[in-house]
Amino acid sequence: MDDVTTDLLIIGAGPTGLFSAYYAGFRGMRVAVVDSLPELGGQITAMYPEKAILDVAGFPSVKGRDLVEGLVAQAATADPTYLLDRTATTLEHGDDDVVVTLDDGTRVRAGALLITSGIGKFSPRPLPAGDGWVGRGMEFFVPSFAPYAGKDVVVVGGGDSAFDWAQHLEPVAASVTLVHRRDAFRAHERTVAAVKDSSVRIVTNAQVTELRGDGHLEEVEISVDGEEPRTVRAQALVAALGFIADLGAIQQWGLETRKRHVVVDSSMRTNLPRVFAAGDITDYPGKVRLIAVGFGEAATAVNNAAVVLDPAAHVFPGHSSEA
């Protein structure tokens, strides 16, 4: 692949990375975006494009895919160079630039680097009883609700993804049963209340202990503490047990990290020169991991990177409505 030279290199093409690309263009920067996934949108595109997102300012409710579509259109104004399905492997520092090498050998030379890679590469936590059932009725993600129409669905988990998918599948599926190993949930209280008020059957202090079917899932065995195992009809099972996050090679670059997150200051600077971070990957006192927060951090990071690229520039460029 041809090497790339740019003003700002962004690692991560999720919502924060896409908004960063737009804002870099607004500041007059050339921008390149790297992502290990083959499509734009990060976790939203990969995991929950149909999910209704409720905490983005200006949108009472917006589907994940619609939010990504808008962000991609907005970022297009910066004419970014997208380097998708590629992973950043090494980081080198020059006197006035950084050089990042990708896993296909491409070298990207940039005046500054902005890391917006969320939780990094992620893999779903396995369901012990589900070994060999992926694609035969069991899935970890729900990219579309249509395949679940008219089916009996079991959702395993007690976090936001489990409750979100149970809530969205309830009007589509013939039945939805949510199974969680405890009687307390990690999901947002509002979503938990909505699911409890729906037709979703919630089974707590329980685990899925066996999946059965001839070629494709037909029934699921659920073991409840202190009770005999019960069997429920199910043609589909969603294992929403969370993810194992891996920052990958980024962890070897000398960045200060705290619990797999990159430590930044109020200008979104890391401990390395010319390297900034924004979004879910960052950590600082009082950090809140919301998409809306990532957007603000993106603007802060890009504006401070602009001064690194051109010391005569101002951190605050004026409002975009004045451009």
Side-chain angles (χ1 to χ4, degrees), residues 18 23 32 122 157 164 175 180 187 221 223-224 256 271 279 290 292 299 312-313:
L18 291 170
Y23 210 92
F122 55 90
D164 285 339
S175 70
H180 185 45
E221 180 185 86
S223 296
V224 181
E256 181 185 355
N271 62 304
L290 292 173

Side-chain angles (χ1 to χ4, degrees), residues 41-170:
Q43 293 178 50
I44 289 180
T45 297
M47 294 164 50
Y48 42 83
E50 295 291 338
K51 177 182 174 182
I53 298 173
L54 308 177
D55 53 14
V56 176
F59 294 93
S61 176
V62 58
K63 276 189 178 183
R65 68 168 72 254
D66 293 335
L67 177 62
V68 169
E69 182 179 339
L71 287 164
V72 171
Q74 187 180 39
T77 63
D79 192 23
T81 298
Y82 287 120
L83 304 167
L84 302 180
D85 204 15
R86 295 181 239 188
T87 302
T89 55
T90 64
L91 170 66
E92 305 168 57
H93 290 271
D95 293 334
D96 56 0
D97 60 15
V98 295
V99 178
V100 173
T101 301
L102 310 183
D103 57 357
D104 67 346
T106 301
R107 288 168 58 85
V108 184
R109 186 177 301 275
L113 171 64
L114 173 55
I115 303 172
T116 63
S117 52
I119 62 174
K121 280 191 168 183
F122 55 90
S123 56
R125 295 186 183 279
L127 176 69
D131 188 30
W133 284 95
V134 174
R136 299 171 55 209
M138 188 186 87
E139 301 294 345
F140 293 105
F141 311 123
V142 183
S144 172
F145 300 138
Y148 296 87
K151 292 183 178 180
D152 300 297
V153 183
V154 172
V155 179
V156 185
D160 286 318
S161 292
F163 273 85
D164 285 339
W165 283 329
Q167 182 182 30
H168 286 92
L169 288 169
E170 187 260 348

